[in-house]
Amino acid sequence: MIVPWLLVSLVLPTVGDGASDPITDDLRLNQVQVIGTHNSYHLAPSPGVMASIATLSPRQAEALDYSHRPLAEQFGRLRIRQIELDVFADPNGGLYARPMARAALIERGEDPGPDPNRNGVLDQPGPKVLHVQDIDYLTTASTLADALAQVRDWSKANPDHLPILILIELKDRAVPGLSPPAPIDAEALDTIEQTLRSAFEPEHLLTPDNVRGEFDTLPDALQTRGWPRLAEVRGRVVFALDNTDAIRDLYLDEHPNLAGRVMFADAGSTDHPAASWFKRNDPIAQFDDIQALVRAGFLVRTRADANTRQARSGDTTQRDRAFASGAQFVSTDYPEPDPRFSPYRVTLPDQAEAIANPVALGRGARDPADP
């Protein structure tokens, strides 16, 4: 039995002093906190596929047992302002159209679950959105173009929204026993970059060039002028590259300050010419690092939960540390509770779109544009 005070503790996040501060358009992009979703397109595998995964790894099956609402519902009903898309290259089309796990169920005469290639959408060339090839492929947006169209259409219908950050994780890792993915090479990056830009008008985007302006590097611009004020960027979309591996290095190659690029990137160090946004997924182990980055004027994304663990246990420790860290984007798989597990959820008081950031607005977080 869950007593009432415990239910409140599980449902309402600890957001610090910023929760009571009003959100005004004079605040800058780095001076608020919003809720995001992790693998925002994800639908749990069908029962037959889930059973197959559980036979090999019960823990992996548990970690994949979550689903998200369609993107428009996340933006509107849940006030989500950061999403994440996993993107695979598919230059010739059809590479992910017939997943091995589903084919095996069909061969055994078992229910294969939904066909991800309904209407032949996966047969067409172009980047695809899914989690793991062959086994975890159900999604509310099969292609990158479709996902971006969903964002664009909602944004145009709601032009006063705070900026939506879209994390793009590019995937080409080979998994033993599964179909090899297409490589993320320079050509694939160009295709993905073109897909991102073609979905939005230039004035609908906030890009590294917009933030850097006349300065040589992004850190120079942030230290001198700061991030744009909310009044300047309502209704816009921001892209950030989630990778911190060889793909990130390739993206920065010949674009060290991200000139001409559409995505921000975690450049690894605060003195890199592209330093502006950082991924710090563990707000417990990386708490001090996150606070230091936020106080220095950078944007940070962290995670309130992972692998369904917190939803199953009801433990709010990581969630509460995420808010206290000052990370501007707190990502979760549970903007709503899963009634199978516990009342655990991650939301803002009164389902607010954002709260003032207590760390970015605290001591030592001077507005660069103020004398």
Side-chain angles (χ1 to χ4, degrees), residues 23-28 31 229-231 367:
I23 297 296
T24 70
D25 278 354
D26 286 337
L27 290 176
R28 296 183 179 273
Q31 293 174 331
R229 298 188 189 276
L230 297 182
D367 186 330

Side-chain angles (χ1 to χ4, degrees), residues 43-54:
L43 296 173
S46 64
V49 174
M50 186 71 85
S52 299
I53 297 171

